[in-house]
mmCIF file with all atom_site columns, all heavy atoms in Angstrom:
data_model
loop_
_atom_site.group_PDB
_atom_site.id
_atom_site.type_symbol
_atom_site.label_atom_id
_atom_site.label_alt_id
_atom_site.label_comp_id
_atom_site.label_asym_id
_atom_site.label_entity_id
_atom_site.label_seq_id
_atom_site.pdbx_PDB_ins_code
_atom_site.Cartn_x
_atom_site.Cartn_y
_atom_site.Cartn_z
_atom_site.occupancy
_atom_site.B_iso_or_equiv
_atom_site.pdbx_formal_charge
_atom_site.auth_seq_id
_atom_site.auth_comp_id
_atom_site.auth_asym_id
_atom_site.auth_atom_id
_atom_site.pdbx_PDB_model_num
ATOM 1   N N   . ASN V 1 157 ? 96.612  72.159 94.009 1.00 78.00 ? 157 ASN V N   1
ATOM 2   C CA  . ASN V 1 157 ? 97.269  73.222 93.263 1.00 78.00 ? 157 ASN V CA  1
ATOM 3   C C   . ASN V 1 157 ? 96.500  73.564 92.001 1.00 78.00 ? 157 ASN V C   1
ATOM 4   O O   . ASN V 1 157 ? 96.342  74.731 91.661 1.00 78.00 ? 157 ASN V O   1
ATOM 5   C CB  . ASN V 1 157 ? 98.705  72.816 92.909 1.00 78.00 ? 157 ASN V CB  1
ATOM 6   C CG  . ASN V 1 157 ? 99.631  73.081 94.078 1.00 78.00 ? 157 ASN V CG  1
ATOM 7   O OD1 . ASN V 1 157 ? 99.323  73.911 94.933 1.00 78.00 ? 157 ASN V OD1 1
ATOM 8   N ND2 . ASN V 1 157 ? 100.736 72.368 94.128 1.00 78.00 ? 157 ASN V ND2 1
ATOM 9   N N   . ALA V 1 158 ? 96.002  72.529 91.320 1.00 82.00 ? 158 ALA V N   1
ATOM 10  C CA  . ALA V 1 158 ? 95.250  72.757 90.090 1.00 82.00 ? 158 ALA V CA  1
ATOM 11  C C   . ALA V 1 158 ? 94.002  73.577 90.384 1.00 82.00 ? 158 ALA V C   1
ATOM 12  O O   . ALA V 1 158 ? 93.685  74.537 89.675 1.00 82.00 ? 158 ALA V O   1
ATOM 13  C CB  . ALA V 1 158 ? 94.880  71.417 89.452 1.00 82.00 ? 158 ALA V CB  1
ATOM 14  N N   . VAL V 1 159 ? 93.293  73.217 91.460 1.00 86.00 ? 159 VAL V N   1
ATOM 15  C CA  . VAL V 1 159 ? 92.078  73.954 91.824 1.00 86.00 ? 159 VAL V CA  1
ATOM 16  C C   . VAL V 1 159 ? 92.415  75.414 92.108 1.00 86.00 ? 159 VAL V C   1
ATOM 17  O O   . VAL V 1 159 ? 91.767  76.340 91.595 1.00 86.00 ? 159 VAL V O   1
ATOM 18  C CB  . VAL V 1 159 ? 91.404  73.309 93.060 1.00 86.00 ? 159 VAL V CB  1
ATOM 19  C CG1 . VAL V 1 159 ? 90.290  74.195 93.601 1.00 86.00 ? 159 VAL V CG1 1
ATOM 20  C CG2 . VAL V 1 159 ? 90.862  71.934 92.712 1.00 86.00 ? 159 VAL V CG2 1
ATOM 21  N N   . ASN V 1 160 ? 93.468  75.632 92.896 1.00 84.00 ? 160 ASN V N   1
ATOM 22  C CA  . ASN V 1 160 ? 93.846  76.998 93.241 1.00 84.00 ? 160 ASN V CA  1
ATOM 23  C C   . ASN V 1 160 ? 94.222  77.811 92.014 1.00 84.00 ? 160 ASN V C   1
ATOM 24  O O   . ASN V 1 160 ? 93.825  78.969 91.875 1.00 84.00 ? 160 ASN V O   1
ATOM 25  C CB  . ASN V 1 160 ? 95.018  76.997 94.228 1.00 84.00 ? 160 ASN V CB  1
ATOM 26  C CG  . ASN V 1 160 ? 94.581  76.515 95.595 1.00 84.00 ? 160 ASN V CG  1
ATOM 27  O OD1 . ASN V 1 160 ? 93.388  76.308 95.839 1.00 84.00 ? 160 ASN V OD1 1
ATOM 28  N ND2 . ASN V 1 160 ? 95.538  76.322 96.479 1.00 84.00 ? 160 ASN V ND2 1
ATOM 29  N N   . ILE V 1 161 ? 94.972  77.187 91.128 1.00 87.00 ? 161 ILE V N   1
ATOM 30  C CA  . ILE V 1 161 ? 95.396  77.913 89.932 1.00 87.00 ? 161 ILE V CA  1
ATOM 31  C C   . ILE V 1 161 ? 94.182  78.249 89.062 1.00 87.00 ? 161 ILE V C   1
ATOM 32  O O   . ILE V 1 161 ? 94.030  79.371 88.580 1.00 87.00 ? 161 ILE V O   1
ATOM 33  C CB  . ILE V 1 161 ? 96.452  77.094 89.144 1.00 87.00 ? 161 ILE V CB  1
ATOM 34  C CG1 . ILE V 1 161 ? 97.760  77.073 89.942 1.00 87.00 ? 161 ILE V CG1 1
ATOM 35  C CG2 . ILE V 1 161 ? 96.682  77.679 87.761 1.00 87.00 ? 161 ILE V CG2 1
ATOM 36  C CD1 . ILE V 1 161 ? 98.787  76.091 89.433 1.00 87.00 ? 161 ILE V CD1 1
ATOM 37  N N   . LEU V 1 162 ? 93.260  77.285 88.927 1.00 92.00 ? 162 LEU V N   1
ATOM 38  C CA  . LEU V 1 162 ? 92.050  77.522 88.130 1.00 92.00 ? 162 LEU V CA  1
ATOM 39  C C   . LEU V 1 162 ? 91.233  78.675 88.715 1.00 92.00 ? 162 LEU V C   1
ATOM 40  O O   . LEU V 1 162 ? 90.777  79.561 87.986 1.00 92.00 ? 162 LEU V O   1
ATOM 41  C CB  . LEU V 1 162 ? 91.202  76.250 88.069 1.00 92.00 ? 162 LEU V CB  1
ATOM 42  C CG  . LEU V 1 162 ? 91.623  75.237 87.010 1.00 92.00 ? 162 LEU V CG  1
ATOM 43  C CD1 . LEU V 1 162 ? 90.751  73.994 87.094 1.00 92.00 ? 162 LEU V CD1 1
ATOM 44  C CD2 . LEU V 1 162 ? 91.525  75.865 85.611 1.00 92.00 ? 162 LEU V CD2 1
ATOM 45  N N   . LEU V 1 163 ? 91.059  78.656 90.044 1.00 93.00 ? 163 LEU V N   1
ATOM 46  C CA  . LEU V 1 163 ? 90.291  79.722 90.684 1.00 93.00 ? 163 LEU V CA  1
ATOM 47  C C   . LEU V 1 163 ? 90.947  81.077 90.437 1.00 93.00 ? 163 LEU V C   1
ATOM 48  O O   . LEU V 1 163 ? 90.280  82.069 90.140 1.00 93.00 ? 163 LEU V O   1
ATOM 49  C CB  . LEU V 1 163 ? 90.198  79.473 92.196 1.00 93.00 ? 163 LEU V CB  1
ATOM 50  C CG  . LEU V 1 163 ? 89.260  78.355 92.653 1.00 93.00 ? 163 LEU V CG  1
ATOM 51  C CD1 . LEU V 1 163 ? 89.339  78.194 94.155 1.00 93.00 ? 163 LEU V CD1 1
ATOM 52  C CD2 . LEU V 1 163 ? 87.828  78.661 92.237 1.00 93.00 ? 163 LEU V CD2 1
ATOM 53  N N   . PHE V 1 164 ? 92.277  81.088 90.535 1.00 91.00 ? 164 PHE V N   1
ATOM 54  C CA  . PHE V 1 164 ? 92.981  82.344 90.349 1.00 91.00 ? 164 PHE V CA  1
ATOM 55  C C   . PHE V 1 164 ? 92.851  82.831 88.913 1.00 91.00 ? 164 PHE V C   1
ATOM 56  O O   . PHE V 1 164 ? 92.619  84.020 88.669 1.00 91.00 ? 164 PHE V O   1
ATOM 57  C CB  . PHE V 1 164 ? 94.461  82.186 90.741 1.00 91.00 ? 164 PHE V CB  1
ATOM 58  C CG  . PHE V 1 164 ? 95.145  83.496 90.920 1.00 91.00 ? 164 PHE V CG  1
ATOM 59  C CD1 . PHE V 1 164 ? 94.858  84.291 92.016 1.00 91.00 ? 164 PHE V CD1 1
ATOM 60  C CD2 . PHE V 1 164 ? 96.064  83.951 89.987 1.00 91.00 ? 164 PHE V CD2 1
ATOM 61  C CE1 . PHE V 1 164 ? 95.469  85.521 92.185 1.00 91.00 ? 164 PHE V CE1 1
ATOM 62  C CE2 . PHE V 1 164 ? 96.684  85.184 90.144 1.00 91.00 ? 164 PHE V CE2 1
ATOM 63  C CZ  . PHE V 1 164 ? 96.386  85.970 91.251 1.00 91.00 ? 164 PHE V CZ  1
ATOM 64  N N   . ILE V 1 165 ? 92.959  81.904 87.967 1.00 94.00 ? 165 ILE V N   1
ATOM 65  C CA  . ILE V 1 165 ? 92.798  82.286 86.561 1.00 94.00 ? 165 ILE V CA  1
ATOM 66  C C   . ILE V 1 165 ? 91.394  82.828 86.325 1.00 94.00 ? 165 ILE V C   1
ATOM 67  O O   . ILE V 1 165 ? 91.202  83.856 85.658 1.00 94.00 ? 165 ILE V O   1
ATOM 68  C CB  . ILE V 1 165 ? 93.093  81.084 85.631 1.00 94.00 ? 165 ILE V CB  1
ATOM 69  C CG1 . ILE V 1 165 ? 94.594  80.754 85.674 1.00 94.00 ? 165 ILE V CG1 1
ATOM 70  C CG2 . ILE V 1 165 ? 92.667  81.388 84.189 1.00 94.00 ? 165 ILE V CG2 1
ATOM 71  C CD1 . ILE V 1 165 ? 94.967  79.492 84.929 1.00 94.00 ? 165 ILE V CD1 1
ATOM 72  N N   . ALA V 1 166 ? 90.394  82.173 86.924 1.00 96.00 ? 166 ALA V N   1
ATOM 73  C CA  . ALA V 1 166 ? 89.014  82.636 86.769 1.00 96.00 ? 166 ALA V CA  1
ATOM 74  C C   . ALA V 1 166 ? 88.865  84.054 87.316 1.00 96.00 ? 166 ALA V C   1
ATOM 75  O O   . ALA V 1 166 ? 88.253  84.925 86.673 1.00 96.00 ? 166 ALA V O   1
ATOM 76  C CB  . ALA V 1 166 ? 88.063  81.680 87.494 1.00 96.00 ? 166 ALA V CB  1
ATOM 77  N N   . ALA V 1 167 ? 89.427  84.307 88.497 1.00 95.00 ? 167 ALA V N   1
ATOM 78  C CA  . ALA V 1 167 ? 89.326  85.641 89.094 1.00 95.00 ? 167 ALA V CA  1
ATOM 79  C C   . ALA V 1 167 ? 90.028  86.681 88.223 1.00 95.00 ? 167 ALA V C   1
ATOM 80  O O   . ALA V 1 167 ? 89.506  87.785 88.003 1.00 95.00 ? 167 ALA V O   1
ATOM 81  C CB  . ALA V 1 167 ? 89.919  85.642 90.498 1.00 95.00 ? 167 ALA V CB  1
ATOM 82  N N   . MET V 1 168 ? 91.208  86.310 87.707 1.00 95.00 ? 168 MET V N   1
ATOM 83  C CA  . MET V 1 168 ? 91.933  87.239 86.844 1.00 95.00 ? 168 MET V CA  1
ATOM 84  C C   . MET V 1 168 ? 91.143  87.504 85.563 1.00 95.00 ? 168 MET V C   1
ATOM 85  O O   . MET V 1 168 ? 91.109  88.629 85.058 1.00 95.00 ? 168 MET V O   1
ATOM 86  C CB  . MET V 1 168 ? 93.324  86.683 86.485 1.00 95.00 ? 168 MET V CB  1
ATOM 87  C CG  . MET V 1 168 ? 94.337  86.715 87.612 1.00 95.00 ? 168 MET V CG  1
ATOM 88  S SD  . MET V 1 168 ? 94.511  88.325 88.390 1.00 95.00 ? 168 MET V SD  1
ATOM 89  C CE  . MET V 1 168 ? 95.517  89.151 87.191 1.00 95.00 ? 168 MET V CE  1
ATOM 90  N N   . GLY V 1 169 ? 90.502  86.455 85.055 1.00 96.00 ? 169 GLY V N   1
ATOM 91  C CA  . GLY V 1 169 ? 89.674  86.608 83.855 1.00 96.00 ? 169 GLY V CA  1
ATOM 92  C C   . GLY V 1 169 ? 88.551  87.610 84.097 1.00 96.00 ? 169 GLY V C   1
ATOM 93  O O   . GLY V 1 169 ? 88.284  88.499 83.275 1.00 96.00 ? 169 GLY V O   1
ATOM 94  N N   . MET V 1 170 ? 87.902  87.480 85.258 1.00 96.00 ? 170 MET V N   1
ATOM 95  C CA  . MET V 1 170 ? 86.830  88.422 85.598 1.00 96.00 ? 170 MET V CA  1
ATOM 96  C C   . MET V 1 170 ? 87.366  89.842 85.697 1.00 96.00 ? 170 MET V C   1
ATOM 97  O O   . MET V 1 170 ? 86.737  90.803 85.251 1.00 96.00 ? 170 MET V O   1
ATOM 98  C CB  . MET V 1 170 ? 86.210  88.022 86.938 1.00 96.00 ? 170 MET V CB  1
ATOM 99  C CG  . MET V 1 170 ? 85.388  86.754 86.882 1.00 96.00 ? 170 MET V CG  1
ATOM 100 S SD  . MET V 1 170 ? 84.786  86.398 88.536 1.00 96.00 ? 170 MET V SD  1
ATOM 101 C CE  . MET V 1 170 ? 83.750  84.995 88.188 1.00 96.00 ? 170 MET V CE  1
#
Side-chain angles (χ1 to χ4, degrees):
Chain V
N157 277 337
V159 170
N160 289 353
I161 290 169
L162 277 177
L163 286 177
F164 195 72
I165 290 173
M168 287 308 282
M170 289 178 175

